[in-house]
């Protein structure tokens, strides 16, 4: 359950009948929570708060025995509003530990994601296995926050570099590149029989899909990992935002497991 952003106070008994509630998002507009507001929520295990730890500490909370206080408090991101299409997705990927924020209070949903950052996310999905650095790409030096992730991705045939031999660390990743990388990951680690079953012809810009990405895009569409931009386009060469990457990763996890 997500409480609307306009709410400032949560009263007693408001969640009566919600005994099976396991998680809730409280906006940072809330300034007080009355005694036993969550007393019937015996299964409550996760509370997402759209503010900082300091702000949470300022909220006047009633009963010290309320299940709310026994739940794990996640200090969520102030730039992820409850009505955003990606709100639940960001919660999931944050809880799984696959993506963190730009800082402690900002996720940056509309910011672009670099190829190096995406390699790190995939490395976390794989369980961050011990990996030796390989000096394959001239722009990937050892001892950096991305070095091990990129070495692992390259050694396992998940992410390749460019024709000029470079990896393209800071290049913003495109939507079709995400599809290609996830397709390789699926075939190499999850389901070797994964195949391109999707129909791209229903999208206005299907012809803009690069030849190297055509098979992967068909797979991604067929598996529901990429669903288009909402205006009938795939936008294959468009840079994927952090929210879009989070959505594609979570759809992949829901389909194949982490």
């Amino acid at each position: 359950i997500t409480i609307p952003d306009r709410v400032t106070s949560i009263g007693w008994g408001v969640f009566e009948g919600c005994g099976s509630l396991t998680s809730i998002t409280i906006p940072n507009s809330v300034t007080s929570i009355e005694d036993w507001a969550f007393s019937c929520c015996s299964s409550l295990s996760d509370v997402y708060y759209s503010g900082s730890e300091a702000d949470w500490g300022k909220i006047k909370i009633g009963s010290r025995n309320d299940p709310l206080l026994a739940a794990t408090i996640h200090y969520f991101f102030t730039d992820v509003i409850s009505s955003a299409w990606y709100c639940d997705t960001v919660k999931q990927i944050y809880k799984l530990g696959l993506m963190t924020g730009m800082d402690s209070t900002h996720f940056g949903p509309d910011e672009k994601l670099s190829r190096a950052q995406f390699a790190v996310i995939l490395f976390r999905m794989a369980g961050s296995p011990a990996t030796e650095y390989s000096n394959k790409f001239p722009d990937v030096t050892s001892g950096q926050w991305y070095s091990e992730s990129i070495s692992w991705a390259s050694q396992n045939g998940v992410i390749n570099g460019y024709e000029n031999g470079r990896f393209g660390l800071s290049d913003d990743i495109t939507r079709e590149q995400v599809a290609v990388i996830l397709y390789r990951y699926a075939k190499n680690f999850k389901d070797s029989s994964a195949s391109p079953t999707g129909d791209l012809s229903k999208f206005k810009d299907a012809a803009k899909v690069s030849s190297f990405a055509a098979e992967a895009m068909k797979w991604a569409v067929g598996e529901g990992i990429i669903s288009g931009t909402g205006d009938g386009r795939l936008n294959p060469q468009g840079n994927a935002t952090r929210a879009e990457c989070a959505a594609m990763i979570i759809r992949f996890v829901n389909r194949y497991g982490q």
Side-chain angles (χ1 to χ4, degrees):
I1 290 179
T2 299
I3 298 173
D5 297 315
R6 63 182 179 276
V7 172
T8 59
S9 178
I10 301 174
W12 174 84
V14 70
F15 290 102
E16 189 166 356
C18 299
S20 60
L21 180 67
T22 58
S23 68
I24 192 165
T25 298
I26 297 175
N28 59 1
S29 58
V30 169
T31 58
S32 67
I33 300 173
E34 294 182 10
D35 280 344
W36 300 103
F38 296 87
S39 60
C40 60
C41 304
S42 58
S43 298
L44 189 62
S45 58
D46 292 292
V47 174
Y48 294 91
Y49 175 60
S50 300
S52 66
E53 185 173 1
D55 289 337
W56 176 257
K58 296 175 184 177
I59 297 178
K60 181 181 179 181
I61 301 177
S63 174
R64 298 294 108 182
N65 296 314
D66 196 306
L68 168 73
L69 300 176
T72 300
I73 308 297
H74 304 282
Y75 300 104
F76 207 47
F77 304 106
T78 57
D79 58 352
V80 179
I81 61 174
S82 59
S83 59
W85 66 266
Y86 47 75
C87 183
D88 286 342
T89 294
V90 172
K91 286 181 192 175
Q92 292 177 62
I93 205 162
Y94 172 71
K95 187 174 181 179
L96 289 173
L98 300 181
M99 286 182 74
T100 56
M102 305 285 285
D103 55 46
S104 61
T105 57
H106 297 87
F107 183 77
D110 297 320
E111 298 291 329
K112 304 300 187 293
L113 198 78
S114 71
R115 284 167 54 83
Q117 290 170 330
F118 196 80
V120 171
I121 295 170
L122 222 61
F123 185 56
R124 291 172 182 156
M125 280 179 62
S128 302
T131 303
E132 289 189 13
Y133 167 75
S134 58
N135 187 25
K136 180 177 181 179
F137 305 108
D139 56 340
V140 179
T141 56
S142 63
Q144 304 302 313
W145 58 269
Y146 48 74
S147 305
E148 191 175 18
S149 299
I150 292 174
S151 292
W152 168 85
S154 173
Q155 290 166 17
N156 286 279
V158 176
I159 306 180
N160 299 325
Y162 295 137
E163 291 183 356
N164 62 8
R166 301 178 69 82
F167 182 81
L169 285 170
S170 58
D171 290 356
D172 294 330
I173 197 163
T174 65
R175 288 166 57 83
E176 65 180 10
Q177 286 175 347
V178 171
V180 168
I181 293 167
L182 288 179
Y183 184 45
R184 290 174 183 154
Y185 186 87
K187 289 182 73 69
N188 291 356
F189 293 97
K190 298 297 181 180
D191 181 6
S192 59
S193 65
S195 58
T197 60
D199 178 15
L200 303 187
S201 65
K202 60 184 178 181
F203 297 99
K204 300 175 185 177
D205 57 350
K208 294 184 178 180
V209 175
S210 300
S211 57
F212 78 87
E215 184 174 323
M217 287 293 276
K218 289 178 182 177
W219 163 82
V221 168
E223 295 292 343
I225 291 169
I226 289 182
S227 57
T229 59
D231 58 358
R233 297 184 307 121
L234 280 170
N235 191 22
Q237 275 102 48
N239 297 130
T241 66
R242 286 172 55 83
E244 289 173 339
C245 283
M248 287 185 266
I249 289 288
I250 289 300
R251 291 168 190 157
F252 181 94
V253 170
N254 289 340
R255 169 65 178 84
Y256 292 98
Q258 187 173 335

